[in-house]
Amino acid sequence: MSLKETITKNLNEIKEDIKKYSPYPEKVKIVGATKYLDKYQLEEYFNSGAKIIGENRVQALREKKEHFDNLGISDKISWHFIGSLQKNKLKYFIDYIDLIHSVDRLSIAEAIDKEAKKREKIINCLLEVNISKEESKHGFLVEEIYENIHKLKSLNNLNIIGLMTMAPFTEDRDVILNVFKGLKTLRDELNVKHFNGELTELSMGMSNDYKIALSQGATIIRIGSKLFN
Ligand SMILES: *Cc1c(COP(=O)(O)O)cnc(C)c1O
């Protein structure tokens, strides 16, 4: 099977799973976690009909965007950033990024706001939350979200539209389920207390756990290995 055929088949399977597990399948978007693909393989991804590219490294994102610019198709793609963020690299993608999933600290939120202001742009963002409280994980702790909420909301060039999390590496289904449930509960609470229902997105679920995430209300799943193999 060609890569395009593999991706098409996997996309169809994932779409069936979305219908099966999500309470609102029409709201769910699939972000390809495309770090596994080089720029030519990424063309196959595009040709399979996929629309959203999620990159977690700035250098790779730049190379792939440039390749798609040369092909004249980059505006047919929604470009997402899903990796850890550094202030000095924001300038390389702020002009075209459609959603940043990984706003994991106040200082980076302020830096995005500043770069966006310079360009008179408003950047769509998700706050990354460390629900599982693992030391190794990026993201705001729940209490840090509440401590910083007024500052975050005062950043006028940042449009916060939801939350993102990563579940721990474990076989324990209940642990994973509780992390996703925790993100949804936090989102619902923030919507009532601070956002007036504006937090529409929950980015949660990867190849190994997206079905659980869907059952807990994910609106964005980030899929890598399951799409390309
Ligand atoms: C790689 C990656 C994924 C997807 O991982 P798979 O397990 O291969 O589906 C999702 N989110 C982020 C932030 C990633 O870096």
Side-chain angles (χ1 to χ4, degrees):
M1 233 193 286
S2 71
L3 179 61
K4 181 184 155 190
E5 287 166 338
T6 303
I7 296 171
T8 304
K9 173 176 138 297
N10 291 337
L11 271 176
N12 284 333
E13 270 176 41
I14 295 166
K15 284 176 189 163
E16 285 306 311
D17 288 333
I18 291 173
K19 284 188 206 147
K20 196 158 145 196
Y21 294 100
S22 171
Y24 31 68
E26 69 288 349
K27 287 190 189 169
V28 179
K29 295 170 278 293
I30 303 168
V31 174
T34 48
K35 59 174 170 270
Y36 305 100
L37 305 181
D38 66 26
K39 60 188 181 185
Y40 304 107
Q41 293 170 322
L42 198 63
E43 282 181 53
E44 302 289 301
Y45 174 71
F46 174 77
N47 289 331
S48 75
K51 294 285 179 305
I52 312 178
I53 289 175
E55 276 291 327
N56 62 328
R57 287 186 48 247
V58 175
Q59 187 55 32
L61 175 62
R62 291 177 73 190
E63 282 165 16
K64 290 168 179 175
K65 170 70 164 51
E66 194 184 306
H67 184 64
F68 275 47
D69 282 344
N70 292 337
L71 296 169
I73 54 176
S74 62
D75 59 351
K76 296 193 167 67
I77 285 285
S78 180
W79 300 90
H80 290 201
F81 194 77
I82 64 176
S84 68
L85 288 157
Q86 289 169 274
K87 278 178 214 181
N88 59 346
K89 298 205 171 149
L90 294 173
K91 57 177 179 281
Y92 295 122
F93 60 75
I94 200 100
D95 287 316
Y96 60 83
I97 208 74
D98 293 297
L99 181 63
I100 302 177
H101 292 231
S102 41
V103 177
D104 60 357
R105 56 198 190 276
L106 180 63
S107 61
I108 202 75
E110 290 170 339
I112 295 168
D113 183 64
K114 194 172 149 202
E115 288 295 326
K117 251 190 203 85
K118 277 191 213 163
R119 296 163 170 81
E120 299 182 16
K121 286 196 64 138
I122 300 209
I123 304 291
N124 293 326
C125 289
L126 307 177
L127 301 177
E128 181 170 354
V129 190
N130 184 355
I131 295 282
S132 60
K133 299 185 188 164
E134 288 169 283
E135 289 277 346
S136 60
K137 276 220 155 56
H138 289 278
F140 291 93
L141 295 171
V142 173
E143 57 267 30
E144 290 172 339
I145 295 270
Y146 281 106
E147 279 162 26
N148 291 302
I149 196 69
H150 294 292
K151 281 186 186 148
L152 286 164
K153 280 187 66 184
S154 73
L155 303 172
N156 290 326
N157 294 59
L158 212 66
N159 185 29
I160 303 171
I161 60 169
L163 306 178
M164 181 270 235
T165 200
M166 313 249 268
F169 282 109
T170 171
E171 297 286 302
D172 191 334
R173 240 187 136 264
D174 288 339
V175 170
I176 298 174
L177 189 136
N178 279 321
V179 166
F180 294 150
K181 192 179 282 206
L183 193 73
K184 177 162 193 305
T185 303
L186 175 64
R187 191 277 306 260
D188 292 346
E189 223 173 79
L190 289 170
N191 261 340
V192 171
K193 291 185 186 156
H194 297 285
F195 284 90
N196 198 19
E198 285 165 17
L199 304 182
T200 53
E201 306 303 323
L202 285 170
S203 171
M204 55 189 197
M206 322 201 313
S207 293
N208 290 328
D209 54 22
Y210 71 90
K211 293 176 193 170
I212 308 175
L214 288 168
S215 77
Q216 296 310 306
T219 63
I220 305 177
I221 52 177
R222 308 178 311 272
I223 312 289
S225 36
K226 157 91 192 171
L227 258 184
F228 310 124
N229 294 302

